[in-house]
Structures are given as structure tokens and as C-alpha cells.
Amino acid sequence: MNKILILDFGSQVTQLIGRRLRELNVYCEIYPYNKIPPLDDSVKGVILSGSPCSVRDANAPQVDLSLFRGKLPLLGICYGAQYLAYRCGGRVEQTNSREYGRAMLDLVRPGSALMQGISARSQVWMSHGDTISRLPEGAEVIASTQDVANAAFQFTGEPTFAVQFHPEVYHTTEGSRMLANFAINICGCAGDWTPASFIETTVADLQAQLGDDQVILGLSGGVDSTVTAVLLNKAIGHRLTCIFVNNGLLRKNEYEDVLESYRDMGLNVIGADASRAFLDALAGVSEPEAKRKVVGRLFIETFERYAREIEGARWLAQGTIYPDVIESAGIPGIASKIKSHHNVGGLPEKMNLRIVEPLRMLFKDEVRRVGRALGIKEELIGRHPFPGPSLSIRIVGEITEDKLNALRDADDIFIRGLRRYDCTGMGFPCASDPRVMATNLYDAIWQAGVILLPVRSVGVMGDERTYKHPVAIRAVVSTDGMTADWFRFPYDFLADISNEIINKVPGVNRVVYDISSKPPATIEWE
């Protein structure tokens, strides 16, 4: 399969380059700059990403340009552009002020292959402290801004291009066109990376990889594990056994509803009800990280107990997706390792299982596209993310059954209200597919839930004074969960939900709305 190789120098938006290319149906892979894979015939071009570093730093990340310059089409972005200029004999200097934000790009050479179809003047996004003050010999400027003379350049006689702005971000209005020019027109990629082609290739690969072996998978009810299960079921049928653990911390009726949905889909699924064990172990535990560890430990113990009963199991399937892979890799000394990833940590070593991760090269939106192509119900494909520790981290402080019951009821009212509210014509795009406009609030939101607070507030119900818990409702819009903004609800919805929760949920007498963005806050409270 033809692909573009993206070398990551530590930029926080490197993933966006990959996402934009995938939106063009061009397959690409992201690697740390110091872990370049073999450049076989499938690699049709290379992109050098941005970086928080300066090319003038003594410890600046470096790559051997002779590996691909002149042999493959090459595009440098921001730091990548400055690195190309600096290493080829140009001059890169620190600017008097950081060049950050919107700028207007003026084409100098409209005939450049990289700028085909680009307006003579268009908006781009700058984010750099250095600038290229002199181009190297053999390079020519193809576009400028008012403050950046060498905003884009190319080397004559070879398909090597560079831009000091970020074509991958939303604020560069014609950035996707530039990336298409590079990947499709210059590199010659076919643009045939589609959900249907992924399914066909992946099913064949899984059949070859797994042979006649038995596979086990821990289902969560989320999008990633659901699509993983259906793909594997398509490849190996009932040699896949799915285990769905009830930790006693799920939403109202979720265990029964999700289990029934999976069985209706023809999956071989076992329900593991360990709710009592989880609640007993969490008694008296209030610190967030301690709660997470209790839930994680018991999940592994429960999963292992049921998995050992599956005779001949050789593989553990996981719903790992591409952001998990990229974030786990990190670049020592440059990009922080955001998280170490292991969906069911400890099991492969303890049970001598091999790992199979059929979605590990997909972004979240691609997982949903594949799920739709597989015919999975929209109610599962468009399901909001739900934290692994479940409602344990939406009860701030110690967990009790009374608190869980109150939270479940309040959350159920909130989620049903989101699904019920008709927002047709209000201009809200679907969170799972921005190309489609949402018809209800649930589909317009990335993630939503209710948090039970560890304080009490005074209220009046009837003629009596009350002293009960407040709850906070949380709803955010996001692309991938790395950043998020609070959702702007219609006021009538907030009023109706507040009244319904207070009137119907014992123990709650106040509703507040969390309007914090991420960063500085996180989506979950704990």
C-alpha cells in the first residue's frame, strides 16, 4: 500500500498532519525522527514535522536528509522547513518577536506544484520563534507573508518543498489543498485509503495472522472495542470470545443493554458480573488515583478469571488506536510521553498471550467510519467516550451505593434529555462526523456526564428546608479529547434538565454547569 511517511520532531500538532492526509484518503504513518523505518517501495513521500526546538540549538533533533532528499518527494513544515534551509546552507535566525497566529499568504510563484489551485492570497497559521532569513543555494521562494519573506520555498530540479506555516491546522484555510497537492499530485498517492479497503485488507491480515487460534477480547461498550470485536468476528467468527465486565460502576441499565446489543450483533460474548467485589474494594477509598488503581486491579483479576476458562486462547485483542500508539512512543527530551498504553495491563505476561490490535493505525474518526462500513448501529458508533474507571471518578470522594444510585438517575435524565432535544437547524455539527449536522444534542457533543459533588447545599422543596448534594453537568466538544471546550447549551434545555433532576432524584437539590475548557481543566473531574 502506498503511504506518506511523517517524521515527528516533537510538535504537538504532528497528529493533525496525519489526520488531514487520512481525510484525503491517503494512507500515512507517523514515526519519531530518530526511529525511521525502512524506506521500501511503498513510501511515496516524506514530511518533516514542526518542533518546539530551534534548529540553532546544540541538541536540536536532526535527521540524515540524504536518506530521502532527491530520492523521494519531501515537504518540510515549520521546524522541518527551517531544518531543510539550515542544513542545506541557508540562514535561520531568531525573530525579534514570535511569529504566531493568522497571516495572509501571497503567492510569488503560482505555478509551483505545491500551490496548484491555491488562491493568490489566503490565510495561513504561523507558530515559530525563528525565521529563514536566507534561502540555501538552489532554492526559490514560492510564497510570502507581510512579515515572512520566505514563507514557502522549493528546490529547483527536485520535488523538495518547505513551508514555515502549518498547513495541517484549521486556520490555514487552504492547507488541505496544499497537502493534497503534495501527497496526490507530487507523490502520486492514489487516495484510495477508504473504510472498505481497510476492512478488506485487515480481515485478510487477521485470518493469516491468527490461523485457527482462539482470541479473547475485553469489551467496554465503547466505539474502539466494539469495532475491534466486529472486525475480528468477520475474520474468525466464534473463535473470538468477548468478555464484558460489570464493575458495578456503569450507567443506569448499561450492563444489560450493552450485553443485549452485542448478542444481537452475533458476537460470542460472556457477561462477567463482578459488581459486588468492586464496590466492596472501593469502600472507604476517596483519592482519585487510588480509586483508579482499585478498579484497574480488579478488572484484570476478573478478566483473567473468566479468560482462563476459554480453552486454547492464544491471543488477546485490544482496541488500541493510533493516538495511543503515538502518545506511548514519545520523543525523549523533546515531546513528553503523554501516557503509557496498555488496555488490559499485565494479562499478556501472566497468561502468555500475544497481542492483536487491528485498529492500531486508525484515528478515532476513522474507527467510526470503519464501524459504519461494517454496519454497526449508529447508537454504538456515535457513543460518547466513557472513562475506564466508570462512575467511580464521577463521584468526587468516597463511593457509596446511595451516591451511585443518585448519580445514575441524574446521569440518565441528562443523557436522555440530550437525545430527546431537537436541535435541527441550530448549526451544531455531529461530534462523530462533522460533515453531518446534528439533529439532537447528544450527537452534537463529544462527551457528557454528571458529577456528584462531595458537599451539601441548602435548598427549599415545598415548605421544607433541604440539605442535599449538588451535581455538576459536564458537556464538551472536541476532536480527539486532547483539547476540549464546553458546549453552549440553549438555556431552555439547561432549565428543563435542572428541574427534572432536582424533582426526580432523591438526595439532589442543586444543578450547576461546568464551563471549564481543557486545558486548563480536564474533561473528567478526577
Side-chain angles (χ1 to χ4, degrees):
M1 179 183 299
N2 293 344
K3 64 188 174 188
I4 300 294
L5 193 66
I6 302 169
L7 300 186
D8 183 13
F9 288 98
S11 169
Q12 292 184 351
V13 292
T14 298
Q15 284 193 37
L16 281 180
I17 305 172
R19 288 176 61 84
R20 294 294 174 262
L21 289 176
R22 297 282 185 90
E23 287 168 3
L24 297 166
N25 294 331
V26 172
Y27 182 66
C28 60
E29 294 179 3
I30 301 173
Y31 289 89
Y33 73 94
N34 54 355
K35 296 179 181 178
I36 302 174
L39 298 176
D40 57 30
D41 291 341
S42 67
V43 179
K44 298 302 178 184
V46 177
I47 294 178
L48 309 179
S49 83
S51 173
C53 301
S54 166
V55 296
R56 298 175 295 103
D57 293 342
N59 59 347
Q62 299 188 38
V63 67
D64 183 0
L65 293 176
S66 67
L67 292 173
F68 27 77
R69 188 185 166 197
K71 303 171 184 175
L72 290 166
L74 181 60
L75 173 63
I77 295 176
C78 198
Y79 176 92
Q82 294 168 358
Y83 186 79
L84 271 172
Y86 186 72
R87 298 299 297 178
C88 295
R91 179 180 297 163
V92 177
E93 298 178 320
Q94 185 175 12
T95 61
N96 293 328
S97 61
R98 182 176 173 83
E99 292 167 337
Y100 180 84
R102 294 176 179 83
M104 297 307 297
L105 185 75
D106 295 309
L107 296 189
V108 176
R109 288 185 175 273
S112 168
L114 187 66
M115 297 297 174
Q116 289 297 312
I118 302 300
S119 303
R121 186 172 175 81
S122 65
Q123 178 180 285
V124 296
W125 186 266
M126 296 285 188
S127 180
H128 56 93
D130 289 347
T131 194
I132 300 169
S133 57
R134 188 188 70 215
L135 292 178
E137 186 176 348
E140 57 185 358
V141 64
I142 55 179
S144 302
T145 69
Q146 181 177 344
D147 298 320
V148 183
N150 300 309
F153 64 93
Q154 66 183 47
F155 284 84
T156 56
E158 63 178 87
T160 300
F161 305 84
V163 295
Q164 287 200 80
F165 52 87
H166 286 273
E168 69 272 27
V169 303
Y170 172 78
H171 298 294
T172 298
T173 53
E174 298 184 44
S176 289
R177 176 71 260 175
M178 296 176 199
L179 291 173
N181 284 338
F182 178 73
I184 297 174
N185 298 341
I186 296 170
C187 298
C189 291
D192 56 0
W193 170 250
T194 64
S197 68
F198 171 82
I199 292 168
E200 181 181 356
T201 302
T202 302
V203 166
D205 289 346
L206 287 170
Q207 290 169 338
Q209 180 183 11
L210 302 174
D212 295 326
D213 290 346
Q214 296 285 326
V215 180
I216 56 177
L217 165 67
L219 283 174
S220 67
V223 177
D224 302 335
S225 70
T226 299
V227 174
T228 299
V230 175
L231 261 178
L232 281 162
N233 188 57
K234 189 176 180 68
I236 63 172
H238 270 51
R239 285 188 287 112
L240 168 69
T241 301
C242 304
I243 300 173
F244 182 41
V245 175
N246 181 10
N247 58 17
L249 304 164
L250 301 176
R251 286 171 151 161
K252 191 170 184 176
N253 302 324
E254 184 172 26
Y255 179 61
E256 296 79 9
D257 291 347
V258 172
L259 205 55
E260 184 178 351
S261 294
Y262 282 140
R263 285 171 176 157
D264 285 346
M265 293 161 62
L267 296 178
N268 177 24
V269 58
I270 297 171
D273 189 352
S275 52
R276 188 70 264 162
F278 277 82
L279 296 181
D280 289 346
L282 285 165
V285 180
S286 59
E287 201 275 325
E289 192 60 26
K291 287 192 282 188
R292 289 177 179 272
K293 288 179 178 178
V294 169
V295 173
R297 173 179 58 81
L298 279 176
F299 178 85
I300 290 174
E301 291 175 3
T302 304
F303 190 93
E304 180 187 15
R305 186 167 67 252
Y306 281 83
R308 285 193 181 280
E309 297 178 5
I310 302 168
E311 190 173 343
R314 297 287 180 268
W315 297 84
L316 174 68
Q318 297 192 148
T320 307
I321 63 174
Y322 204 27
D324 299 325
V325 176
I326 299 168
E327 290 167 1
S328 296
I331 300 177
I334 298 176
S336 298
K337 189 173 180 177
I338 298 171
K339 61 181 178 184
S340 57
H341 178 78
H342 215 287
N343 285 1
V344 192
L347 275 177
E349 293 83 0
K350 293 175 68 174
M351 298 182 65
N352 194 30
L353 296 173
R354 287 178 285 176
I355 297 291
V356 56
E357 298 171 318
L359 305 182
R360 66 179 283 110
M361 299 309 292
L362 296 188
F363 291 101
K364 175 71 82 173
D365 52 341
E366 292 175 314
V367 174
R368 288 192 167 108
R369 289 171 61 197
V370 168
R372 291 187 178 100
L374 285 166
I376 299 174
K377 294 178 181 177
E378 190 62 33
E379 63 193 63
L380 287 172
I381 292 301
R383 191 173 186 265
H384 291 177
F386 189 60
S390 308
L391 296 181
S392 71
I393 58 169
R394 290 186 178 174
I395 294 175
V396 180
E398 185 181 358
I399 297 165
T400 66
E401 289 201 54
D402 285 345
K403 290 180 180 178
L404 271 171
N405 289 333
L407 179 57
R408 282 196 184 101
D409 287 343
D411 182 82
D412 184 57
I413 290 169
F414 183 38
I415 298 300
R416 283 192 296 105
L418 293 175
R419 293 188 183 278
R420 187 173 61 238
Y421 193 96
D422 185 355
C423 66
T424 305
M426 291 186 177
F428 295 129
C430 282
S432 64
D433 187 353
R435 297 168 297 182
V436 179
M437 301 311 292
T439 57
N440 64 71
L441 290 177
Y442 184 90
D443 290 344
I445 291 167
W446 164 267
Q447 187 169 343
V450 177
I451 300 93
L452 187 74
L453 304 182
V455 295
R456 295 179 185 271
S457 67
V458 173
V460 177
M461 300 183 76
D463 293 325
E464 295 183 357
R465 173 187 182 273
T466 62
Y467 190 53
K468 300 181 179 180
H469 287 286
V471 295
I473 58 176
R474 182 79 159 133
V476 299
V477 287
S478 179
T479 309
D480 49 20
M482 300 299 292
T483 61
D485 195 13
W486 59 281
F487 185 76
R488 273 64 171 172
F489 278 117
Y491 288 153
D492 61 330
F493 173 82
L494 290 174
D496 290 345
I497 288 299
S498 175
N499 287 338
E500 188 174 357
I501 289 175
I502 291 170
N503 289 335
K504 293 183 178 180
V505 181
V508 174
N509 67 353
R510 191 180 299 269
V511 176
V512 298
Y513 183 38
D514 180 354
I515 59 169
S516 310
S517 62
K518 176 189 179 182
T522 53
I523 295 176
E524 300 293 342
W525 278 45
E526 289 196 338

